[in-house]
Amino acid sequence: MNQSDFELFKELNPETLQKKFLNSLLKIHNVQRGSIWIKKKDTYLCIEAAGAESDQIKGVSLDVQHPSIVGWVIENKKMTVAETKSDRRHYKEVEDKLAVKSSLILCFPLFFRDKKVYGAVQIIDTTPEKSSLNLDKGYLEQLQNLVDICSIALSNAILYANERKKTQSLKTALKEVKKESVIIGQSPEFKKCLDLVKSYAGTEFHVLITGDSGTGKELVAEKIHKSSVRKDKPFLVQNCSAIPETLLESELFGYKKGAFTGATRDKIGLFEAADGGTVFLDEIGDMPMSIQASLLRVLQENEIKPLGETRVRHIDVRIVAATNKEIKQMIADNSFRQDLFYRLSVLPVHLPPLKERREDIPLLVRHFLEKESLKAGMIEKKIATDAMQSLVSYSWPGNIRELENLIRYLMVTAEDEYIELLNIPLHVRNQNANIDPFSDPSVSSKDGANDFIINLCSMTWPQLEKEYVISLLKKSNWNITWAAKASGINRSTFASRMRKLEIRRDRQDFD
């Protein structure tokens, strides 16, 4: 081979490399036909062919039970020379439709670095005289060495391509995870809810979702929207308890420039922005009575009036509302309008708490492990049987949100491939005990490390991480080195996380 031939080893595309590899071998031997085969389950598959009529060879598969020169070389892991007219190993049927038949075949095994054979390459003489191939023993030994080098280059390219496919698959999966909210559950109670949701999606009536905090009400609302005729229109969300009354009104209905101090331009409200689509009003039980009257008009007349506007605007929105409160009791207490309740609850659906659908917990655990590992770019952890039993037995006051946060915590704190029972926080393993999930059981409850009794269900991931870091620091008497060692990461990384989380001690340095 000349210098340009060796350039093929730099090629990382397996299809390009195998073509260059085969053509180089044909050029060296001055023959007109060749092919590359790999073993794939119960067949030998031709992945590349060159020369006359090669299009009829590429893609052909041979049964491993049928004698063939390729099969003999792969199974015996050594080179062979075969005269096709007399050699019983020759699979003559492959050439039935070829105008020019082979007369002499030189076949080499293809090796991985570990000497495992994954395929074979054939160099074929089609001349009646069988005079093109150089069969000198010394020459063939040198050629075998060259083929070995080329086969390793090809195997590396194949492995590289496979890894790229895996990476792309992970990226695609992660993209889907971020884009698509999945509802997990197969328990009878939850299936009834999903059946209702499916039937509701085909209508235009308003929906009221009830259930404890963390049961997945927003996911269900989104499912209703995406399964409806409005799926290509906006799906907008507003938490009615998240902002003050005056701001909530302007967020929902919008305002005109000059309507109040600071209104320097017109603002479109949520209802108008969602025209043609769906508005999800979460925590509807916290909506002030003054705004409830305006919402009732939206439900009755499909019209809004932005703050400072003199005329009404007509809109077309479907409202899906949700609450974890007892609305009927609120009606009795005159804190929620009865007429609004009846308008909202045309189609009611109640989501059961996680403790009433325990058979769904293993499904949710595995889903969150896969989802979070994709997000973090980590190898997906597995969970031991006794650890899973502990999670199934827990009452989950924070429902699915608490479970999701706990899985995130376990992915960070469990050092091994498996999440074991000892990795599960004590308040989950012993739910009747009032125990800090991050505390050391050997430390007295009077110790500063136990000052933080943490409710995982109410925390975001940054809050959870911050509480974990603070708990470690307190247990380590605010010594960063000791705390970093206890967390299983190096000191500089731990200190960096402290800065990002804005964790500082009020007095002096940490160590």
Side-chain angles (χ1 to χ4, degrees), residues 209-217 283 323-326 350-356 395-401:
I209 306 171
T210 57
D212 293 347
S213 179
T215 50
K217 294 189 286 293
E283 306 298 348
T323 183
N324 61 356
K325 294 188 175 182
E326 291 291 340
H350 179 75
L351 298 184
L354 195 52
K355 65 184 178 182
E356 293 180 9
S395 62
W396 298 108
N399 294 293
I400 299 172
R401 189 180 298 121

Side-chain angles (χ1 to χ4, degrees), residues 223-414:
K223 176 72 173 177
I224 291 172
H225 170 74
K226 288 185 175 180
S227 302
S228 73
V229 294
R230 298 174 179 266
K231 61 183 178 182
D232 296 324
K233 297 296 183 178
F235 174 77
L236 302 183
V237 179
Q238 179 61 58
N239 188 317
C240 299
S241 66
I243 56 179
E245 177 179 346
T246 52
L247 288 180
L248 178 60
E249 186 175 10
S250 63
E251 283 295 313
L252 293 177
F253 300 99
Y255 54 79
K256 290 288 291 181
K257 178 181 178 180
F260 51 83
T261 304
T264 57
R265 57 179 177 80
D266 291 352
K267 175 181 171 60
I268 294 177
L270 196 72
F271 288 125
E272 191 172 356
D275 192 29
T278 305
V279 172
F280 174 55
L281 298 177
D282 198 9
E283 306 298 348
I284 191 74
D286 292 324
M287 178 177 282
M289 291 287 282
S290 59
I291 302 180
Q292 289 180 29
S294 300
L295 176 59
L296 184 62
R297 188 164 187 84
V298 174
L299 296 171
Q300 290 176 329
E301 309 295 339
N302 291 322
E303 61 183 33
I304 60 168
K305 190 169 77 169
L307 297 176
E309 180 68 88
T310 56
R311 293 179 299 177
V312 298
R313 300 180 186 179
H314 290 279
I315 57 169
D316 172 26
V317 296
R318 183 184 193 180
I319 294 177
V320 179
T323 183
N324 61 356
K325 294 188 175 182
E326 291 291 340
I327 295 293
K328 291 184 178 180
Q329 183 59 48
M330 294 181 67
I331 293 172
D333 296 338
N334 292 320
S335 58
F336 199 89
R337 294 179 63 116
Q338 186 177 42
D339 49 1
L340 177 60
F341 169 72
Y342 288 129
R343 285 283 182 177
L344 284 174
S345 62
V346 175
L347 300 177
V349 57
H350 179 75
L351 298 184
L354 195 52
K355 65 184 178 182
E356 293 180 9
R357 39 182 294 219
R358 294 188 186 276
E359 55 264 63
D360 291 338
I361 292 174
L363 296 175
L364 289 163
V365 169
R366 294 186 183 99
H367 169 70
F368 289 136
L369 284 172
E370 180 182 7
K371 175 184 173 182
E372 297 304 326
S373 64
L374 283 171
K375 281 185 178 180
M378 299 168 58
I379 296 175
E380 184 180 337
K381 291 184 184 293
K382 299 177 179 61
I383 185 161
T385 302
D386 53 356
M388 181 69 84
Q389 289 173 345
S390 174
L391 298 182
V392 172
S393 300
Y394 182 54
S395 62
W396 298 108
N399 294 293
I400 299 172
R401 189 180 298 121
E402 182 182 8
L403 175 60
E404 184 176 18
N405 276 342
L406 179 62
I407 294 301
R408 289 169 174 166
Y409 165 76
L410 292 172
M411 283 185 61
V412 174
T413 57

Side-chain angles (χ1 to χ4, degrees), residues 34-51:
S35 55
I36 298 176
W37 302 73
I38 60 170
K39 186 173 182 179
K40 196 169 185 179
K41 294 184 179 179
D42 296 328
T43 63
Y44 302 116
L45 175 66
C46 180
I47 61 171
E48 189 60 64

Side-chain angles (χ1 to χ4, degrees), residues 131-173:
S131 57
S132 296
L133 291 173
N134 183 348
L135 301 180
D136 178 75
K137 183 178 179 181
Y139 178 78
L140 291 179
E141 288 177 353
Q142 291 183 0
L143 187 60
Q144 176 70 73
N145 292 334
L146 180 60
V147 170
D148 288 349
I149 295 172
C150 291
S151 68
I152 290 173
L154 178 58
S155 70
N156 287 341
I158 292 172
L159 292 173
Y160 174 74
N162 288 340
E163 288 302 315
R164 286 196 65 181
K165 286 180 182 178
K166 288 181 183 178
T167 302
Q168 188 58 45
S169 177
L170 286 174
K171 288 181 178 179
T172 302

Side-chain angles (χ1 to χ4, degrees), residues 409 426 435-443 449-450 452-453 471 475:
Y409 165 76
L426 286 176
I435 300 173
D436 178 354
F438 301 124
S439 68
D440 186 336
S442 65
V443 180
N450 285 332
F452 294 85
I453 307 297
S471 294
K475 189 169 67 175

